Amino acid sequence: MPHQPDQTKTDTHPSAFSRTWGYLNENVRPSGLAELELLILTFCIGLQDAISFPDFHCFASNQTGNTVFLVLAIVLPEANGDMFFTANIGIALGFFLAAAWLTGQLGHIIGARRRGWLVLCNFIQTCLVFTAAALQYIYRSPTTGELVLDGAQAPSTLWAIGLLATAAGSQVVQSRSLGMTEITTAMATAAWVDLMIDPNLFVLRNRSRNRRIGFLTTLVLGTLTGAFIFRRIGSPAALVISGAGKLLVTVMFMFNSAEKPKVECPEDSA
């Protein structure tokens, strides 16, 4: 009789789809590359905040300042339109918190360090920043470069604030998931304090101190760069550069090393 192929044997080589799916579901581990990615995101946030206050009279990511202004708006409503714009502050803080809540809660379900989740979040944040840049380009005078349609109180401005704050809130939550809390990518107060009180501040090898210094330095450089671009070219260009930086990090997440699976020790036989 002719030889019949063994139907019980199955192909042990995974398909391209299953390999890709497995790769996207790996947990990214804290590493030097992850530090670099967070510093790039910090630079991008510096660009955004450098243009958000002059344009919008609020911060897109620094919610400490927005919280203080919101309280002042409640106590001193007559200062609205002079010292600050209450609607802008409310939009920035509200969208930031909503994005942080959504990103954090979904991260608990999906896996905050999963490569695919990190890539997806960063891609969405990138799209939000580019959309805000487009709004800024559209609603600016081609001759003066100034905001038109009631300037800082225009509907387009509120949309731009909401988009940038949403991207920032999601980014901050995402940065915390990588386990390097010294690089928050946005808020500097805690980093300054933790740096000053570090008992090993002057020790040669101190990774936490180095991360904080790198974060603060990058935030300052991003803000200085954003201010320079704002003065010479205009805020839309700063947002485009910020979006490009976030897009770069989105691609870079595909090359991070993954956490090794934990090997369970076999139980001792009775």
Side-chain angles (χ1 to χ4, degrees):
M1 294 179 63
H3 176 71
Q4 297 291 331
D6 188 356
Q7 299 295 329
T8 61
K9 292 183 178 179
T10 58
D11 188 5
T12 57
H13 297 289
S15 65
F17 174 81
S18 61
R19 291 197 301 270
T20 302
W21 182 252
Y23 187 71
L24 291 175
N25 278 280
E26 290 178 341
N27 285 330
V28 169
R29 72 177 183 87
S31 63
L33 180 57
E35 288 185 23
L36 176 60
E37 290 160 351
L38 293 181
L39 290 177
I40 294 175
L41 293 177
T42 299
F43 185 85
C44 295
I45 282 290
L47 288 170
Q48 294 178 32
D49 269 348
I51 65 94
S52 64
F53 195 81
D55 265 358
F56 309 139
H57 299 277
C58 69
F59 296 100
S61 61
N62 181 8
Q63 300 309 316
T64 302
N66 285 340
T67 302
V68 172
F69 280 130
L70 188 61
V71 174
L72 288 176
I74 296 172
V75 179
L76 302 171
E78 64 274 11
N80 180 38
D82 182 19
M83 186 184 302
F84 47 75
F85 293 104
T86 306
N88 297 20
I89 296 169
I91 289 289
L93 182 58
F95 275 74
F96 181 95
L97 294 177
W101 173 80
L102 184 61
T103 304
Q105 296 304 319
L106 288 178
H108 294 320
I109 299 170
I110 297 170
R113 287 192 190 179
R114 287 200 177 182
R115 190 188 309 277
W117 175 243
L118 294 173
V119 170
L120 176 62
C121 283
N122 254 276
F123 179 72
I124 294 174
Q125 294 163 22
T126 300
C127 292
L128 295 176
V129 173
F130 277 134
T131 304
L135 288 173
Q136 290 293 83
Y137 270 118
I138 293 171
Y139 293 103
R140 277 185 176 272
S141 169
T143 55
T144 65
E146 297 293 330
L147 282 170
V148 295
L149 297 179
D150 297 325
Q153 300 180 84
S156 62
T157 297
L158 297 179
W159 277 110
I161 294 170
L163 292 168
L164 293 175
T166 299
S170 180
Q171 175 181 306
V172 171
V173 170
Q174 195 176 33
S175 67
R176 292 177 66 87
S177 68
L178 290 174
M180 291 178 281
T181 55
E182 301 91 348
I183 309 176
T184 65
T185 74
M187 287 74 72
T189 304
W192 281 116
V193 173
D194 289 340
L195 179 64
M196 293 298 101
I197 66 174
D198 190 344
N200 299 315
L201 180 60
F202 300 106
V203 174
L204 182 61
R205 295 183 179 179
N206 184 339
R207 192 65 173 270
S208 294
R209 174 205 58 199
N210 295 344
R211 285 175 176 171
R212 293 187 186 103
I213 291 176
F215 160 62
L216 293 168
T217 302
T218 306
L219 186 62
V220 169
L221 290 176
T223 305
L224 286 173
T225 303
F228 177 82
I229 295 173
F230 178 83
R231 167 172 282 188
R232 295 301 180 91
I233 306 175
S235 59
L239 294 181
V240 169
I241 296 173
S242 178
K246 292 181 72 64
L247 182 60
L248 173 63
V249 173
T250 301
V251 176
M252 290 173 66
F253 272 131
M254 294 297 294
F255 300 96
N256 286 68
S257 56
E259 291 180 342
K260 294 181 179 179
K262 295 180 180 180
V263 180
E264 295 182 1
C265 298
E267 295 180 359
D268 297 331
S269 57

